[in-house]
Amino acid sequence: MNGPSPYPPIRARTARLVMLLTVVVLTTLGILLMTDFIFRVGFTSPRLIFLILFGILFTLVTTGSAHAFWGFWVRRTRGLKSRIVRASEEVPDTNVTHAGRTALVFPVYNEDPQRVFAGIEAVFEDLNLVDPNHDVDIYILSDSTNPDNWVKEEMAWVQLCRQVEGFGRIFYRRRAKNVNRKAGNIADFCTKWGGDYAYMITMDADSIVSGKAILQLIGMMDRRPTAGLIQTAPRLFGGQSFFARVQQFAARFYGPIFLAGLDWWQGAAGNYWGHNAIIRLAPFTDYCDLPDLPGKEPFGGKILSHDFVEAALMVKAGWEVLLAYDIEDSWEEGPPSLIDHAKRDRRWMQGNLQHTWLLFARRIHSCNWVHLLMGIAGYLSSCIWFCFLMLSLWIAWLDKSSRVTLFPVDGFVGAQLHLDVRTHGLIIFLYTICLLFSPKVLAIIDLILCQRLREFGGLIRALMSSFIETLFFTLIAPILMLFHTKFFFWLIVGRSVSWSTQNRESTGTSWGEAARTHGGQTVFGAVFILISLWLDPQLFWWMIPINAGLVLSIPLSVWSSSEKLGRWFASLGFFRTPESFQPAKVLTEIEPDIHNFDTLRFIFPEADHSGITAAIVDPYVNALHVTLLKQPTVSEAGQASDDKGDRLMTQGPKALTREETLETLSDPDLMQQLHRRVWSRSSGKHTGWWRYHVEMYRTSEWMKKRSWIAPNTARSGSGPR
């Protein structure tokens, strides 16, 4: 296997070979046991299909176990000492030439501006605290299509720059056309401003990286001129619901050994997860331009999950893609509920299944090919599992309807070990359970040896948390299986996903929403119970974990989204993580700063149309908004603009559709004209909406609320410019 590696080539190839052999040996043993078992009870065509599906699913199980085992081995024997790129190298090497400036890039799409800008403020201030002379600039790249969010983002940007003296260091740009989603947003930045920077640190709207981690990443890049991309392993934080807390605990508790195992075999042909990573801009711009896939969406067209592909293109061009999994201060937020998790999975599923085309691309490094394959298999496994269960029912029905009593024969294992059929099946079950639960056992041992269990609440609470987490994910696994199977069917019939904002706030799932979403799953589980009972009572008992999760899907979804339940478990010390045990300073700064960026509530409280109302009435907001706009094209001017303006003045913001509101906000001449009209007494009659808000603006009480524009100062006068 060719390609760059942070290890000597022989060591890299050896690691991959050992990993492959481990998976093959563990999988082969399981398949041989199952083959022999099927031979003993009667080999038929349905059972042959059953064996094939079992082999695929079992391979995925052994792959996870192999990652955990070798990750545990690496952490216990070699640690980080053999890794060339490691976070422990905090002291800059004076002999290393600094490549240039770094851009910290935040793509935003209809996110909550308060949370986004509070997070950016925390990151920027932490960076200033660590190194006041840093050369990092921040770019907020907006693709927001919500008119209110657009204006709120502009005002929040000004507020942020005033608070941290960030003018000239923090930049805001909104694209008029959302071409190719997030990948297009990043590509637009690279084209327009990438030449001014050596590195780019990509973030998500909810990403947080400490100042220390930013400087570590820059130092790693400077010391490793062959590195094109260094990916951190973001930790989950901030979740308050039971679902979010369980996810945070599981990722933090089991993650280290899996990440160590992944890094051990992939070497420098690693993967990119789309955020919380530093990228060398020159090769990224030169080699990572994404191609359009053959055909139309959902399987063709624009690549939805761009990150895996960009990593493969970077490695293909001869640059290293590395995993700095030992950087602690890199975080992101997770979905707060089971339904939000499923919505995100639907988008990820389409993006990963698109990668099927790339499995046939030439000169893709073997490691990147495996990454693409694992991403595809991760979602198809649910569909395969569903088929596996349906096939089990079919086989049980065939056995019942045939009315033929099978006489078990001695297979190879049975003859050698003198096992009856029941004991043989029990051995297969126990072998599978050992593979499934061995990563959990290794993770606990690893944390004990690292003396870090205190960060998870101590040994007893950590073990109890692990037990509850295992039980919970066992119950929701069949729910996710049905979600993924339904999503796959939708993709097959051509239903592509829309580009939607991820919900990060835990408002709780209502019983009505849960019933609409999980009602079909509940019915499916009930029918599954009745059929399994009718076919074979023994089959019913084997299916209890699956049936229980499906039948209880509605209450599970509601209860797990509850913040009250999450806080109750937290009060008992369960699902504790290092972030909750001793949170980093940058994380504690976010929540207190959120209210500082709720700028439009100081202007007009109407939630639906506060953005365009403020941008038309308020002189300051209007001036800022117009200044940030580009000049309109010819098609944006003329009679169409006059018509929108007249309707807006006479009927209020409700008279315009969202698209028309965006068009109005995009026209600087029209926005200036509308501002003059609402303030001009000679402009004729206009709706009470504008009279009310102009009068509201004039009041002295209103002017007191304007102190946010310039802290400790009050601007005198009001009216149009």
Side-chain angles (χ1 to χ4, degrees), residues 652-668:
K654 295 181 181 179
L656 302 185
T657 64
R658 171 181 283 202
E659 290 71 22
E660 289 175 327
T661 303
L662 289 172
E663 291 172 3
T664 301
L665 285 168
S666 301
D667 190 331

Side-chain angles (χ1 to χ4, degrees), residues 567-607:
R567 287 193 295 269
W568 182 75
F569 273 100
S571 67
L572 298 178
F574 293 146
F575 308 121
R576 181 178 291 178
T577 62
E579 284 69 32
S580 59
F581 174 73
Q582 191 173 3
K585 183 178 183 298
V586 66
L587 297 182
T588 62
E589 296 295 325
I590 298 173
E591 193 65 31
D593 291 338
I594 284 181
H595 73 280
N596 294 336
F597 296 99
D598 190 8
T599 51
L600 290 193
R601 73 181 172 88
F602 293 119
I603 305 177
F604 303 122
E606 287 77 9

Side-chain angles (χ1 to χ4, degrees), residues 369-380:
W369 190 89
V370 170
H371 286 308
L372 294 172
L373 181 63
M374 289 172 64
I376 296 168
Y379 287 98
L380 285 185

Side-chain angles (χ1 to χ4, degrees), residues 308-324:
F308 282 39
V309 183
E310 288 161 345
L313 292 174
M314 187 75 83
V315 174
K316 180 181 178 181
W319 291 86
E320 297 174 335
V321 176
L322 306 166
L323 175 61

